[in-house]
Amino acid sequence: MRITFERTGGFAGITKKTTLDTNNLPPKEAKELPLLVQAADLFRLPAQIPSPNPQSDRFQYRLTVEDNDKQHTVIVSEAALPGTLRPLIEWLNHVAI
């Protein structure tokens, strides 16, 4: 599984982007990442999840997950982050950026 994670916006407006591949991660992280993607039900989320009340200093996340023959991209505002997706975003913020 490979995931490209990009975080834009925030107070400083800095963009951070990284790609993680479970083949190159330490064993613990390589096991956690697919479980978080599955718990988020990421492949069933819409391609865009906008905030009903956009705020200029909030983060926006873009995740592209490739798993075998499946690929899906989700763009989501921090203010509209679904509860199921929050653990994956928090993990990526901690591990990847």
Side-chain angles (χ1 to χ4, degrees), residues 1-2 20-27 29-30 33:
M1 177 180 285
R2 184 169 47 191
L20 299 172
D21 189 321
T22 53
N23 292 327
N24 301 325
L25 289 173
E29 283 86 3
L33 183 57

Side-chain angles (χ1 to χ4, degrees), residues 33-50:
L33 183 57
L35 294 174
L36 289 165
V37 169
Q38 182 180 5
D41 207 8
L42 194 125
F43 286 99
R44 293 181 187 251
L45 292 175
Q48 291 198 335
I49 307 172

Side-chain angles (χ1 to χ4, degrees), residues 2-92:
R2 184 169 47 191
I3 186 164
T4 301
F5 176 65
E6 182 176 3
R7 185 183 75 190
T8 58
F11 184 71
I14 296 172
T15 298
K16 296 195 175 199
K17 183 176 180 179
T18 192
T19 300
L20 299 172
D21 189 321
T22 53
N23 292 327
N24 301 325
L25 289 173
K28 181 180 178 217
E29 283 86 3
K31 190 174 182 178
E32 286 177 327
L33 183 57
L35 294 174
L36 289 165
V37 169
Q38 182 180 5
D41 207 8
L42 194 125
F43 286 99
R44 293 181 187 251
L45 292 175
Q48 291 198 335
I49 307 172
S51 171
N53 302 311
Q55 298 168 339
S56 60
D57 290 340
R58 301 299 293 260
F59 289 119
Q60 181 159 314
Y61 304 102
R62 178 186 182 101
L63 296 98
T64 300
V65 176
E66 300 169 57
D67 189 23
N68 297 321
D69 60 342
K70 297 187 294 186
Q71 178 176 326
H72 186 59
T73 298
V74 175
I75 299 170
V76 60
S77 168
E78 178 183 32
L81 201 59
T84 58
L85 189 54
R86 187 171 303 281
L88 175 60
I89 295 293
E90 289 173 355
W91 188 90
L92 289 167

